[in-house]
Amino acid sequence: MWQFIRKKWLTLLLSVLLGWMLWMYANRVESRPADLEAYFELRRPSAGFEMTVTPRIANVKLTVRGPTGAIYEATRSDRAIRIVFDPGDPERIADGKTREVRFDRSMVQHLPPDVAVVEFDPPSFELTVRRQVEKVLPVGLPDIIGTPDAGYEIYDVKVEIGRASCRASV
């Protein structure tokens, strides 16, 4: 047996090396499920609109399936996986009604293309968009009614602001 090893040592070394490379390749390409956390980001519309998300979501759990190496790279990259929802033009949805928005793959950012999202937890959220109106109320000089008590006198009345504003969702 030792003679066989001495004569064929280069072939044996090459076969061990090729076996190791095949194992590394298969480990990288093997498709496995994994659970990842993703930050949820809601793009705010222009001023004049209020958006409410129910339930309050900071992170979304993703169940993904893909090559082990790609999933590993996604979890250790400098860019965190995010789910970004852009409501688009708020004018068309600012009616105060609550809508259910389901998460989908197009909302996920910084996830490799060969990794598929199998499930979102929670699967959806409720979005309410209301128009905000602002009313400017003029503030005039105060009316002084009555006279001060004995020993007191009014010598100066000063109003600091000339207007106040009130903002409310409609």
Side-chain angles (χ1 to χ4, degrees), residues 67-81:
T68 307
I71 293 172
Y72 175 72
E73 287 299 319
T75 58
R76 65 177 281 259
S77 76
D78 295 336
R79 300 181 304 172
I81 299 171

Side-chain angles (χ1 to χ4, degrees), residues 130-151:
R130 293 183 185 94
R131 186 179 315 280
Q132 286 187 333
V133 293
E134 186 172 345
K135 176 75 174 168
V136 176
L137 307 169
V139 177
L141 292 174
D143 293 331
I144 301 172
I145 301 173
T147 58
D149 292 337

